[in-house]
C-alpha cells in the first residue's frame, strides 16, 4: 500500500496490502479519541472532495479524515457548480488540478470515473464509490470493524444479503474478504444476484435462513426501492418478509454473529428496527472506523510509509518511525 498512488478498488489487492492498511488505520483510530484530534501527517497537502452523488457518511468522514491529518480540503457538489451548466467531468477535474490540488476523492454515478481521472491527472485519486462498481473505503472499514471484533479473519463466514447486483459495497467487500480467506456467501432474490458471481470466490444461497447457518457476520445491503418498479422483486413487503434481517432470521446464525449495514438504512425493510439498534449491531462502529480507515488511505496514497501493528514491529527503528508518524 505504501507504493500505491491511487485507491480505485479492492479487486486484486493482496492480503498483505489489506493488512498493512488496516494496521495503519488502527494507529490512526486513536487520534480521534484525543482532545485535540489532529496530526501533521498531511500538512501542506490540498485535497478536493468531488461528490457527484449524494453522501452523508463517506463525504463527512473523508472531510474529517483530511482535517485530522492537517490537510487543506475543498468540497465540490454538483449543485452550485458548473456541472449544472454542462461542464464535463474532464474539464471539471482539469480545472481543479490547475489549482494545484494534490489528491482527489471522487464519488460518481458512472463506474470507472475514478479510473478515468487517475489516467488523466497528476493528483492521487481515491474512489469514494463509482456506480455499481466499487466502494473500496467502505469495504476496508467493514473489514476493519470485523477484525476489531475478531482479531483476525481465520475460519470466518460472512453473509452479504440484498441487492448484490447493484451494490458497489458488496463488490468491494467480496474482493477484500475473499483475499483475506473469509468464506463469503451472497443471498437475495435471484434477480438481484449477478450471474456467475461464484467466479469471484463466493457461495450463493437464496434462502436467508440457510445462508445464515453458521455465519459470523451479516452485511445487510440497502434495497433500492426503484428496483421493485423495474420488476426485480414482487413487493417491498415480500422482500422484508423473505430477505429482511430480523431477530428470527438471526437465530440461524452464530449467537455472536455481528450485523453490519453501510447505510443509509431502510428500517423495517432490509433490516428490522430491533436488529439495527440491537446488541449485535456494529453499524455505528462502522461509521466511527470509517474516519480512521480514510485517514490511512489518504496517508498511504500520499506516499506515507505503512504503520505496522505492534506484533509486526520487530525492530526498534520501526517503533521509532511509528511514533514520528502518528504523534
Ligand atoms: N455507506 C455510504 O456510502 O454511505 P453514504 O452514501 O451516506 O456516503
Amino acid at each position: 500500500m505504501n507504493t500505491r498512488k491511487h485507491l480505485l478498488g479492492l479487486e486484486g489487492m493482496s492480503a498483505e496490502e489489506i493488512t498493512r492498511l488496516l494496521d495503519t488505520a488502527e494507529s490512526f483510530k486513536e487520534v480521534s479519541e484525543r482532545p485535540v484530534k489532529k496530526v501533521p501527517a498531511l500538512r501542506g497537502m490540498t485535497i478536493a472532495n468531488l461528490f457527484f452523488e449524494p453522501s452523508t457518511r463517506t463525504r463527512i468522514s473523508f472531510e474529517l479524515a483530511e482535517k485530522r491529518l492537517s490537510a487543506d480540503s475543498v468540497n465540490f457538489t454538483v449543485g452550485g457548480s458548473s456541472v449544472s451548466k454542462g461542464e464535463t467531468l474532464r474539464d471539471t477535474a482539469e480545472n481543479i488540478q490547475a489549482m494545484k490540488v494534490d489528491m482527489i476523492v471522487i464519488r460518481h454515478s458512472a463506474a470507472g470515473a475514478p479510473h478515468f481521472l487517475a489516467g488523466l491527472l497528476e493528483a492521487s485519486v481515491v474512489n469514494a464509490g463509482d456506480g455499481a462498481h466499487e466502494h473500496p473505503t467502505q469495504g476496508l472499514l467493514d473489514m476493519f470493524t470485523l477484525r476489531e471484533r475478531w482479531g483476525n479473519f481465520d475460519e470466518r463466514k460472512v453473509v452479504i444479503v440484498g441487492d448484490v447486483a447493484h451494490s458497489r459495497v458488496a463488490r468491494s467487500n467480496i474482493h477484500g474478504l475473499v483475499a483475506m480467506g473469509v468464506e463469503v456467501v451472497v443471498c437475495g432474490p435471484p434477480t438481484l444476484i449477478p450471474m456467475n458471481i461464484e467466479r469471484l470466490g463466493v457461495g450463493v444461497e437464496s434462502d436467508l435462513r440457510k445462508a445464515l447457518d453458521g455465519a459470523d457476520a451479516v452485511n445487510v445491503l440497502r434495497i433500492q426501492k426503484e428496483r421493485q418498479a423495474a420488476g426485480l422483486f414482487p413487493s417491498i413487503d415480500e422482500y422484508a418478509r423473505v430477505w429482511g434481517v430480523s431477530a428470527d432470521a438471526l437465530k440461524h446464525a452464530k449467537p455472536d454473529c455481528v450485523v453490519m449495514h453501510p447505510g443509509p438504512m431502510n428500517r423495517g425493510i432490509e433490516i428490522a428496527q430491533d436488529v439495527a439498534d440491537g446488541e449485535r449491531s456494529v453499524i455505528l462502529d462502522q461509521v466511527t472506523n470509517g474516519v480512521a480507515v480514510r485517514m490511512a488511505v489518504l496517508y498511504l496514497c500520499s506516499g506515507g510509509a505503512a504503520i505496522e501493528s505492534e506484533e509486526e514491529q520487530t525492530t526498534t527503528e520501526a517503533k521509532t518511525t511509528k511514533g514520528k508518524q502518528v504523534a
Side-chain angles (χ1 to χ4, degrees):
M1 187 68 200
N2 48 336
T3 56
R4 183 181 285 263
K5 180 178 175 187
H6 310 292
L7 178 66
L8 304 179
L10 298 191
E11 186 172 8
M13 192 180 277
S14 68
E16 186 190 15
E17 193 175 359
I18 292 170
T19 302
R20 291 246 161 94
L21 210 148
L22 300 185
D23 290 345
T24 305
E26 204 170 296
S27 298
F28 278 126
K29 186 166 175 180
E30 172 270 326
V31 174
S32 295
E33 307 296 335
R34 297 180 187 178
V36 179
K37 301 172 179 56
K38 231 174 176 54
V39 289
L42 295 190
R43 191 160 52 200
M45 292 200 72
T46 309
I47 303 178
N49 301 307
L50 311 189
F51 277 72
F52 291 84
E53 274 192 335
S55 168
T56 297
R57 281 145 289 268
T58 312
R59 189 165 62 84
I60 292 176
S61 70
F62 266 113
E63 282 182 49
L64 287 175
E66 291 153 11
K67 289 185 194 323
R68 289 178 189 174
L69 291 169
S70 305
D72 296 314
S73 57
V74 288
N75 299 311
F76 167 98
T77 50
V78 172
S81 79
S82 290
V83 169
S84 56
K85 300 178 204 163
E87 189 163 45
T88 64
L89 173 61
R90 180 186 189 127
D91 282 338
T92 302
E94 284 182 340
N95 276 274
I96 287 169
Q97 176 158 280
M99 292 182 248
K100 307 298 175 198
V101 164
D102 301 296
M103 298 184 87
I104 287 181
V105 175
I106 177 171
R107 167 169 290 193
H108 202 283
S109 59
H115 307 67
F116 172 69
L117 293 194
L120 182 72
L121 305 176
E122 287 300 314
S124 288
V125 177
V126 178
N127 182 357
D130 64 324
H133 177 232
E134 279 222 41
H135 191 349
T137 55
Q138 180 72 45
L140 289 166
L141 74 88
D142 290 346
M143 285 192 284
F144 184 94
T145 305
L146 291 174
R147 195 180 75 159
E148 194 168 56
R149 283 265 160 160
W150 299 338
N152 58 48
F153 294 101
D154 296 348
E155 304 197 2
R156 296 292 183 174
K157 174 180 174 182
V158 175
V159 176
I160 301 174
V161 57
D163 184 359
V164 178
H166 302 94
S167 174
R168 54 195 176 205
V169 174
R171 227 165 301 281
S172 288
N173 265 271
I174 289 169
H175 291 309
L177 290 168
V178 169
M180 299 310 293
V182 174
E183 178 189 355
V184 180
V185 173
V186 297
C187 178
T191 45
L192 295 178
I193 304 292
M195 279 176 66
N196 301 322
I197 193 161
E198 296 91 338
R199 288 186 191 159
L200 299 184
V202 302
V204 179
E205 173 55 65
S206 58
D207 182 326
L208 177 60
R209 279 138 184 92
K210 284 187 189 162
L212 286 174
D213 183 34
D216 297 286
V218 55
N219 200 341
V220 189
L221 304 174
R222 183 171 71 90
I223 197 72
Q224 295 168 45
K225 292 174 191 163
E226 63 272 22
R227 307 288 174 217
Q228 187 198 346
L232 294 176
F233 59 90
S235 74
I236 295 285
D237 282 351
E238 182 178 297
Y239 185 90
R241 203 169 53 251
V242 179
W243 289 285
V245 174
S246 61
D248 182 59
L250 279 176
K251 287 180 187 156
H252 296 259
K254 284 188 180 163
D256 56 354
C257 174
V258 296
V259 177
M260 313 175 83
H261 193 303
M265 288 187 275
N266 295 303
R267 289 171 177 266
I269 301 178
E270 72 262 9
I271 188 165
Q273 190 88 286
D274 57 335
V275 171
D277 300 327
E279 59 184 20
R280 302 202 228 189
S281 170
V282 293
I283 293 168
L284 291 178
D285 296 330
Q286 292 171 261
V287 178
T288 301
N289 292 335
V291 177
V293 164
R294 288 170 177 130
M295 287 172 82
V297 167
L298 294 168
Y299 172 73
L300 293 172
C301 287
S302 76
I307 300 167
E308 295 175 339
S309 62
E310 291 295 335
E311 306 89 76
E312 288 186 41
Q313 290 178 25
T314 51
T315 65
T316 311
E317 189 187 332
K319 285 185 178 143
T320 309
T321 308
K322 179 187 174 190
K324 270 190 205 150
Q325 286 162 342
V326 179

